[in-house]
Amino acid sequence: MEDFLSGLTQIFTFATLIYMLAGSVAGIIAAAIPGFTVTMAIVLTLPLTFTMEPLQGIAVMLSVYVGGYTGGLISAALLGIPGTPSSVATTFDAFPMARKGEPGRALSLGVWASFFGTVISTVVLIVAAPPLAIFAVKLGPWEYFSLIVFALTIVASLVGDSVIRGMLAGLIGLAISTVGPDPMMGRPRFDFSIEMLEAGLPFLVVLIGIFAISQLASEVEDKSEVRSGNALVTGAIDFQTWKVMKEVLMRPVNLIRSSIVGVLIGALPGAGGSIANLVAYDQAKRASKDPDSFGKGNPDGVVASEAGNSATAGGGLIPLIGLGIPGSAVDAILMASLMVHGISVGPRLIMDHGDLVYGMFIAMAVASLLMLIVSVLSMRLFLRVATVPKWLIVPVVMVCCAVGSFALNNRVTDLYLLGFIGVAGYVLRALGYSLAPLVLGVILGPIAETNLRRALMTDGDPTLFVTRPISLLFLIAAVLSIAWAIRGHLKQRNKAKRSSDAAAS
């Protein structure tokens, strides 16, 4: 109790709260810009915290962290472009909902789901940090590979109207992930002696090109519509905050399930929000009584994605606080900040610096509340994007995409890659291919390859993948996931066939 009160006292000072408020605003704005990730925002924040007290500096970075997971929602809902990798699944339903004339509802659903997801993950963090951290560290490369195999089965539920095209898109994504230096030895491969491909295809460049450039190009196909001054989305600016809050709370099973998925995946080092939002979305779709409505503006899809990715913020702190192992790049930066202040991060952290740890718990809750306040107060301003005509918004967003891609590695060649990938994404979109499986393949490919090779380098016996209980559990879940998806597609096909037969008769 003494440590808790000490942490509470340090957080609830005027200066700390003002700094945290500024951090929330910075995180939301940074994540809303395609290509400018949460990690980049945290890196830029780190030097500013060196002169602060340890807990104050960590609290500011946690505010940027929490705000960043929500900020990606803005461009995902209003532009159809995920601001961060953790907002990919948000575009599936938030953007269609906005296009139907409900941009305010789409944003509000995401904001409230993010808030509740962060709160739930903080509660789990406080209660279960030590045991969950020990469990996460016991997982070897066999379990991680099997987990990624299970995650890859999500492709089966994201294939769109054509299973074959969806699977081909997933395979294209896996192929893209193999270009450039291999993740273990750094040896070049599949670059075809093209200098531009020697460093590989950066994931963010692929994400921006596939989603942003192809989406923007498709928006300007109709010359007359562009000249007429129409906006990307239409609808009332009104967002009815409290009504939408009740709508989110009326989906308790989806909200809690998605948050738990985010916590568990966030606790696994190297996973993170980019996987959590897709897995949470997939589980919501499978559990839904109307899975066909997903991808067409279903509120459950928005809630699942945003609750899942925001909950990883708390989940990622579990191995950091429990064992001193960062769960993601952002957590590594948080650990570096503590080490700069002379604080040793490890299993004894909670015993030697209890006030700091409890202060971090309190900071997570306060950061989620500040994020909610900033988002609600600025939502009307963000929604003004929906009123900007296409002839203006398309080139502006295109420039932001180019700047974000260049800022990633400061390479001009990334701009060329962005253009080529954007054209390829536009062609695939025009041919009816679902782009979500492609992005999923690019995200999960390197993680799957790395853990497969680590497992075989540790022990060449391939039977360990099925003899280790947790690995076997993930593989069984993968098989059941594929079987469930096939059953759903067959059921959908039979339903369509009966409808056509009835119409013909």
Side-chain angles (χ1 to χ4, degrees), residues 196 406 409-418:
M196 190 165 52
F406 178 76
N409 296 304
N410 293 324
R411 288 198 304 252
V412 177
T413 52
D414 284 351
L415 297 180
Y416 299 137
L417 288 173
L418 178 68

Side-chain angles (χ1 to χ4, degrees), residues 148 152 168-184 187-192 197-204 206-207 210 421 437-450 453:
I148 299 304
L152 279 169
L168 283 176
L171 291 174
I172 292 171
L174 289 173
I176 289 174
S177 70
T178 63
V179 176
D182 79 79
M184 296 294 290
R187 293 176 180 172
R189 60 183 184 180
F190 305 126
D191 56 20
F192 307 103
L197 298 178
E198 288 179 357
L201 296 172
F203 164 63
L204 278 173
V206 175
L207 178 67
I210 287 294
I421 293 170
L438 190 153
V439 173
L440 186 67
V442 175
I443 294 173
L444 300 180
I447 306 175
E449 179 185 0
T450 300
R453 292 174 65 176

Side-chain angles (χ1 to χ4, degrees), residues 2 7 50 63 82-83 137 139 156 190 257 266 286 296-297 300 312 326 335 357 366 368 389 455-456 472 496 501:
E2 184 179 345
F50 288 163
S63 298
V137 171
L139 300 183
F190 305 126
R257 180 185 58 239
R286 293 177 191 275
K296 301 174 184 177
D300 276 318
T312 58
M335 185 170 74
V357 173
V366 173
S368 64
L456 295 178
L472 177 62
D501 291 341

Side-chain angles (χ1 to χ4, degrees), residues 222-239:
D222 190 341
K223 183 171 59 176
S224 61
E225 187 178 353
V226 175
R227 287 179 174 175
S228 67
N230 291 335
L232 284 178
V233 297
T234 58
I237 297 297
D238 184 30
F239 44 88

Side-chain angles (χ1 to χ4, degrees), residues 276-468:
N277 80 117
L278 287 162
V279 174
Y281 181 88
D282 175 69
Q283 295 305 308
K285 183 177 179 180
R286 293 177 191 275
S288 174
K289 296 180 180 178
D290 185 21
D292 295 342
S293 64
F294 277 71
K296 301 174 184 177
N298 191 318
D300 276 318
V302 182
V303 171
S305 173
E306 285 301 305
N309 72 39
S310 294
T312 58
L317 292 177
I318 290 173
L320 176 65
I321 292 174
L323 296 162
I325 298 173
S328 66
V330 174
D331 297 318
I333 298 168
L334 293 175
M335 185 170 74
S337 176
L338 291 173
M339 295 173 69
V340 165
H341 289 283
I343 296 173
S344 177
V345 181
R348 290 190 57 83
L349 178 64
I350 196 167
M351 291 181 282
D352 298 338
H353 303 280
D355 60 332
L356 177 68
V357 173
Y358 282 105
M360 291 172 68
F361 295 157
I362 297 167
M364 280 289 293
V366 173
S368 64
L369 182 60
L370 290 174
M371 176 276 297
L372 179 67
I373 294 171
V374 171
S375 298
V376 170
L377 293 180
S378 59
M379 194 174 296
R380 193 176 297 276
L381 178 63
F382 288 131
L383 284 170
R384 292 293 178 187
V385 174
T387 65
V388 178
K390 288 183 182 180
W391 61 263
L392 179 58
I393 193 69
V394 168
V396 170
V397 175
M398 196 83 77
V399 170
C400 290
C401 292
V403 171
S405 299
F406 178 76
L408 182 63
N409 296 304
N410 293 324
R411 288 198 304 252
V412 177
T413 52
D414 284 351
L415 297 180
Y416 299 137
L417 288 173
L418 178 68
F420 289 132
I421 293 170
V423 171
Y426 174 72
V427 172
L428 289 173
R429 184 191 292 267
L431 293 175
Y433 283 81
S434 176
L435 299 181
L438 190 153
V439 173
L440 186 67
V442 175
I443 294 173
L444 300 180
I447 306 175
E449 179 185 0
T450 300
N451 284 287
L452 176 63
R453 292 174 65 176
R454 280 179 182 168
L456 295 178
M457 289 168 66
T458 304
D459 192 320
D461 184 8
T463 60
L464 288 174
F465 288 102
V466 293
T467 55
R468 293 173 67 99

Side-chain angles (χ1 to χ4, degrees), residues 478-500:
V479 173
L480 293 176
S481 177
I482 294 173
W484 183 273
I486 293 173
R487 174 180 172 273
H489 284 293
L490 291 175
K491 186 177 179 181
Q492 186 176 359
R493 181 184 296 180
N494 293 334
K495 182 179 178 180
K497 185 178 179 181
R498 286 194 300 268
S499 298
S500 61

